[in-house]
Amino acid sequence: MTKEKIEQIRSEFPILTEQVYKKPLIYFDNAATTQKPKCVVEQINSAYYHLNANIHRGVHYLSQKATEAHEAARQTVAEFLGATKREEVIFTRGTTEAINLVAFSFGEAFCKTGDEIVISVLEHHSNIVPWQMLCERKGLKLRVIPMNEKGELELDEYAKLLNDKTKIVSVAHVSNVLGTVNPVKEIIRIAHEKNIPVLVDGAQAVPHIPVDVIDLDADFYVFSGHKIYGPTGIGALYGKEKWLNAIPPYQGGGEMIATVSFEKTTYNELPFKFEAGTPDYIGSTALATALNYVKSIGIEEIAAYEKELTEYATKRMLEIEGMRIIGTADEKSAVISFLVGKIHPYDIGMLLDKLGIAVRTGHHCAQPLIDSLSIPGTVRASFAFYNTKEEIDSFMEALKRVVMMLS
Ligand code: PLP
């Protein structure tokens, strides 16, 4: 990406000109949430000003307009993920709700005592706890794919975990701590050889690398809007029609029904069967705006630029004595976790904050992973396409100062 292009992109994100503690904000916490371009904020305003009416129910003009916009947003999400059927996209509150939906509904339909679920050691709590809840509810066992010292999943060990009792595999596409891009296509192929479906947690992948659910042959694929420049509180679950038809609804209420009597309720068709209650039609349209914005820049171009930023930052960070980068997979996304000497990550994060630099510290909602590494947590810098090499240089100056103060 050219300098001019990046400047133009940055001008579309007003928050990037904010000052914190009288210092220019350097926002390197993009894996937690991304900033929003003007077009997304304007879409939210515009939808409330011109399009607000409850959808699917009204015969009146506004309700029909809002319904059309919500369903068009579903089409946009489907296309962004490479899905061919709009009905295979369910709007959720985000990745967490999408995984809970599958863990509950798939568990109800297909799991019984003694069965097994396979996840990996580098999962976010959102892709651990819902499965543990299912295990507790129905007496299942959780099996965990190990990783090597670079933070890459061990596929030989993974294949050995799969057996007749394995009901589903659920893995992250990209680790939010290590940045590892997991070979999910291969993981899916191996599971499918044994007719086991796979859920992919795409929270950290969709904003950064091209995703095609058909090419991956994913059975379920989930992501959050707020991590891809969209609003909070909206995300999506892609599921193959055959699975979504085979599992029961997650929640009951309005919209998800075909008929209701006190004796019996029948359920609506896809996708409405999984969308009980008034959907976030404002959020869905703003999410579509965000996805179209990303598309207009080009996800391939974004991936290439963020790779450049990540490699540049990694190289520069290794200038610091005692620097330990946690996660050195060959395939890595725009996340760098690190520790310096014996300094506690929290102290580094606190002092960087005072210098205007937003990074994250701690276990990053992946406590089992952090425990497996026998470390107290990490400092995590995570990039987006609006970040620059100049920001990385400023970060480096600040980090050197902080390390000097704390050593
Ligand atoms: N999965 C991964 C890999 C994540 O990084 C996150 C958030 O950081 C989540 C799941 C949860 O996403 P959300 O809180 O938007 O539901």
Side-chain angles (χ1 to χ4, degrees), residues 31-32 94-97 99 124 126 172 174-176 201 203-204 224 226-227:
T95 302
T96 302
E97 188 177 54
I99 298 174
H124 186 281
S126 292
V174 172
S175 160
N176 65 312
D201 170 355
Q204 298 293 344
S224 299
H226 70 97
K227 293 192 196 284

Side-chain angles (χ1 to χ4, degrees), residues 151-205:
E152 296 163 331
L153 294 183
E154 296 189 29
L155 292 196
D156 290 347
E157 295 303 313
Y158 160 60
K160 285 187 215 154
L161 291 177
L162 303 180
N163 61 54
D164 292 347
K165 289 184 265 176
T166 315
K167 284 291 143 39
I168 191 165
V169 173
S170 191
V171 286
H173 198 161
V174 172
S175 160
N176 65 312
V177 179
L178 308 173
T180 311
V181 181
N182 290 321
V184 284
K185 190 167 174 177
E186 181 62 3
I187 288 172
I188 291 168
R189 193 192 62 73
I190 293 169
H192 283 181
E193 275 179 358
K194 293 196 156 73
N195 293 320
I196 300 164
V198 180
L199 181 149
V200 180
D201 170 355
Q204 298 293 344

Side-chain angles (χ1 to χ4, degrees), residues 9-16 27 30 32-42 44 224-234 286-287 290 293 385-386:
I9 287 171
R10 287 180 68 82
S11 72
E12 287 161 19
F13 290 81
I15 205 166
L16 297 179
Y27 187 77
N30 294 287
T33 199
T34 51
Q35 301 303 344
K36 316 304 170 199
K38 284 180 201 161
C39 60
V40 167
V41 180
E42 280 160 11
I44 294 169
S224 299
H226 70 97
K227 293 192 196 284
I228 184 161
Y229 315 100
T232 50
I234 186 92
L287 171 60
Y293 176 72
F385 58 73
Y386 43 60

Side-chain angles (χ1 to χ4, degrees), residues 121-123 128 147 175-178 363 366-375:
V121 66
L122 50 69
E123 301 307 318
I128 302 173
M147 65 181 191
S175 160
N176 65 312
V177 179
L178 308 173
H363 56 57
Q367 232 170 318
L369 168 62
I370 296 295
D371 289 348
S372 79
L373 295 166
S374 304
I375 52 177

